[in-house]
Amino acid sequence: QKEVEQDPGPLSVPEGAIVSLNCTYSNSAFQYFMWYRQYSRKGPELLMYTYSSGNKEDGRFTAQVDKSSKYISLFIRDSQPSDSATYLCAFPDAGGTSYGKLTFGQGTILTVHP
Amino acid sequence: EAQVTQNPRYLITVTGKKLTVTCSQNMNHEYMSWYRQDPGLGLRQIYYSMNVEVTDKGDVPEGYKVSRKEKRNFPLILESPSPNQTSLYFCASSSGMEYIQYFGAGTRLSVL
């Protein structure tokens, strides 16, 4: 079983749609949960970062964490063409010899068409 | 401007010809890392460094070398590149007190 599973898509939605991106993980030691966004021909950049279970909002983006189910989601409201990118969930290793290492999901390619 | 700079951005080479991809950061970060990104496999860590002269293997270190002689630089060395090392490579850095990693723009490598 992979440590992190993310639906690779691709996902194509009309402008204004609500988008749901999801990852499951198996490592109970993961305590921090991140979403990175990667535009074409660019490096990933941090979009959202959360520690606890529950929801965290930032504008049109909501990160949701369910530690008991080992499941995280990113919701995008009122999606825009500028949201077209690859979205990667990421889990930092908070201790031990792999301190700071990020384990990434495979990435979901999202296209929002006008 | 805070940034991670990789060079070159694009590189085509032939099997067996040694190459170096440079990475430099201007944020005084202790932690630096190299990843490769392949379709369907996501980003996988090659090597990382927690400080000067401290490096360790990531998940896919075979065929790669790194060095960390200065805090700001973390070059990736392919002594004898092979076609299976054709990939998109990213360098990243972070401070020791947080887990957020800042990525360079990437180096697309093709080994013929």
Side-chain angles (χ1 to χ4, degrees):
Chain A
Q1 180 191 7
K2 284 186 179 178
E3 202 167 18
V4 177
E5 296 273 6
Q6 181 177 6
D7 184 351
L11 197 56
S12 181
V13 302
E15 184 175 353
I18 296 173
V19 176
S20 172
L21 305 165
N22 310 295
C23 285
T24 58
Y25 63 96
S26 60
N27 190 340
S28 300
F30 289 151
Q31 297 297 319
Y32 300 86
F33 310 94
M34 297 174 157
W35 287 94
Y36 278 78
R37 178 175 60 193
Q38 184 180 15
Y39 289 116
S40 181
R41 297 187 181 84
K42 301 280 189 182
E45 58 180 358
L46 183 71
L47 183 61
M48 293 192 74
Y49 174 18
T50 185
Y51 172 72
S52 57
S53 281
N55 293 353
K56 180 179 180 180
E57 271 193 39
D58 184 0
R60 295 184 294 108
F61 298 88
T62 300
Q64 188 176 80
V65 175
D66 182 348
K67 285 187 180 179
S68 62
S69 301
K70 298 190 180 67
Y71 188 88
I72 69 170
S73 298
L74 178 71
F75 297 96
I76 307 175
R77 289 191 306 278
D78 187 25
S79 56
Q80 303 294 309
S82 58
D83 295 328
S84 298
T86 298
Y87 291 81
L88 301 126
C89 57
F91 304 82
D93 190 321
T97 58
S98 298
Y99 179 87
K101 175 187 172 184
L102 283 178
T103 300
F104 284 90
Q106 297 93 319
T108 300
I109 301 169
L110 171 66
T111 302
V112 181
H113 50 87
Chain B
E1 181 191 351
Q3 59 185 5
V4 178
T5 304
Q6 296 178 227
N7 280 297
R9 291 291 312 278
Y10 302 92
L11 181 58
I12 301 174
T13 190
V14 295
T15 299
K17 186 176 181 182
K18 181 179 178 179
L19 66 91
T20 299
V21 183
T22 64
C23 175
S24 180
Q25 50 93 5
N26 63 1
M27 295 170 278
N28 201 37
H29 284 165
E30 294 85 5
Y31 185 95
M32 298 186 74
S33 184
W34 276 102
Y35 295 85
R36 61 178 289 174
Q37 186 174 35
D38 301 289
L41 297 176
L43 280 150
R44 294 178 293 166
Q45 191 182 50
I46 302 170
Y47 267 95
Y48 66 97
S49 169
M50 296 182 70
N51 216 322
V52 175
E53 302 292 0
V54 180
T55 63
D56 209 346
K57 297 176 180 178
D59 296 319
V60 287
E62 294 78 20
Y64 304 95
K65 280 178 57 176
V66 293
S67 68
R68 187 91 180 274
K69 292 182 169 49
E70 303 166 283
K71 197 173 187 180
R72 63 182 291 126
N73 296 324
F74 190 44
L76 179 70
I77 303 156
L78 284 74
E79 297 257 346
S80 183
S82 62
N84 64 11
Q85 293 178 299
T86 292
S87 187
L88 180 57
Y89 291 87
F90 289 100
C91 180
S93 74
S94 69
S95 77
M97 298 300 294
E98 62 178 22
Y99 306 112
I100 299 169
Q101 293 192 20
Y102 300 87
F103 284 80
T107 296
R108 186 166 292 280
L109 171 66
S110 294
V111 183
L112 305 177

